[in-house]
Amino acid sequence: MAQSALAAPEASHSLWGLFMQAGFVVKLVMIGLLAASVWTWAIIIDKTMRYGRFRRQLNNFENNFWSGQSLEDLYHTLSDRKTNGMGALFVAAMREWKKSFEKGARSPMGLQSRIEKAMDVTLAREMDDLESRLGFLATVGSAAPFVGLFGTVIGIMTSFQAIAASKQTNLAVVAPGIAEALLATAIGLVAAIPAVIAYNKLSADAGKLGLRLESFADEFSAILSRQIDERSASAR
C-alpha cells in the first residue's frame, strides 16, 4: 500500500501526466506545437533529401552538357522527359530556339530576348519549388516560442485561480500547476529551435543551388547568342 501510494504521485509528474492534468487551452497549445514540430521535421527530411538529389542531377547534367555532345542530341534526349534544374532551363531555351527558327524568325535581338525570357520563367519556377514550404519553418521558428508562452501564461493563471479557491499556498500545491504550464513553453522551444536552424541551413542551400542555375542560364544564353550571330552572318 505504501509503495503504490508513493508511485502514484511520481507517475502524475511524468511528462504524460503533466499533459493529461493540463487545462483544455493548454492541451490545445501543446497538441498544436507537437503537430507543428512533426511537420517541421517532415519538411527538414524531405528538403534535405530533395536538395541532395537536385545536386546530383545538376552534376550529371553538367557532365553531359560539357562532354562535347551536340545540343540537338542532348535536346532530343531530354525533350521527352520530365526535367528539372539545368535540364529544364536547357529544354525551355532550346524549345524557344527551335520554334523561332521553324517560323522563320528574322530578328536576332527578338530571338535572344525570347530565349532569355523562357529561361527566366523556368528559373523562377525552379526556385519556387526549391523554396516551397521554407516559409513554414520560418513561421514555426518565430511564432512557436510565443505560442508556448501563451499556453504557459494561461496555465499559470489557472493554477493561481485554483490556489486562491483552495486557499493553500504551499509548494506541493503550487508546483504541479506551474510545471504543467511550463511544459507548453518547453514544447514551443522544441518546435522552434530545429525550425530556425533548418530554415537558415536550407535557405542557404537553396540560394547556392539557385546561383548554379543562374550561372548556367547566363552561360547557355551566351552560347546561343553566339550561334544566333553566326547564323545571322551566314544568312547575309
Side-chain angles (χ1 to χ4, degrees):
M1 292 291 293
Q3 290 180 350
S4 62
L6 291 174
E10 182 178 353
S12 66
H13 291 1
S14 66
L15 293 180
W16 177 250
L18 292 176
F19 171 78
M20 294 304 297
Q21 294 169 13
F24 178 73
V25 175
V26 180
K27 280 183 180 177
L28 285 180
V29 169
M30 292 181 185
I31 292 172
L33 290 172
L34 288 173
S37 180
V38 171
W39 186 238
T40 293
W41 279 105
I43 293 174
I44 292 171
I45 294 171
D46 176 69
K47 285 295 184 183
T48 301
M49 296 175 63
R50 181 172 296 185
Y51 287 179
R53 289 194 302 268
F54 199 85
R55 289 190 193 92
R56 290 191 294 271
Q57 290 170 353
L58 294 185
N59 294 335
N60 291 336
F61 179 84
E62 285 182 326
N63 292 335
N64 293 330
F65 184 81
W66 298 110
S67 64
Q69 183 180 5
S70 69
L71 298 181
E72 290 289 340
D73 292 341
L74 185 57
Y75 174 72
H76 287 305
T77 302
L78 298 177
S79 59
D80 296 332
R81 301 179 184 176
K82 183 180 179 180
T83 57
N84 59 2
M86 293 179 183
L89 294 174
F90 173 80
V91 170
M94 289 296 295
R95 185 176 291 123
E96 184 60 39
W97 165 280
K98 295 180 73 66
K99 284 181 180 178
S100 296
F101 276 105
E102 287 172 359
K103 294 180 180 180
R106 297 182 179 180
S107 172
M109 294 297 297
L111 174 57
Q112 181 70 25
S113 177
R114 288 192 298 273
I115 290 174
E116 291 178 355
K117 182 65 68 176
M119 286 196 291
D120 288 342
V121 171
T122 304
L123 178 60
R125 189 182 303 119
E126 293 295 314
M127 289 305 300
D128 286 342
D129 183 64
L130 286 173
E131 296 174 350
S132 64
R133 295 183 293 175
L134 292 184
F136 180 82
L137 299 182
T139 301
V140 171
S142 60
F146 296 102
V147 175
L149 182 60
F150 169 76
T152 297
V153 171
I154 296 297
I156 291 177
M157 289 173 58
T158 304
S159 298
F160 283 161
Q161 289 173 352
I163 292 169
S166 65
K167 297 181 180 180
Q168 295 181 10
T169 58
N170 60 73
L171 186 60
V173 175
V174 176
I178 294 178
E180 296 163 15
L182 291 176
L183 181 59
T185 297
I187 296 176
L189 294 176
V190 167
I193 293 172
V196 171
I197 296 173
Y199 174 77
N200 292 333
K201 175 66 168 60
L202 294 174
S203 295
D205 290 346
K208 292 176 182 177
L209 294 173
L211 285 176
R212 290 186 65 179
L213 293 177
E214 291 177 5
S215 298
F216 172 77
D218 292 339
E219 281 185 294
F220 191 48
S221 178
I223 292 172
L224 293 181
S225 178
R226 284 194 295 270
Q227 295 200 9
I228 291 171
D229 292 342
E230 291 173 0
R231 288 202 178 196
S232 299
S234 62
R236 293 174 184 172

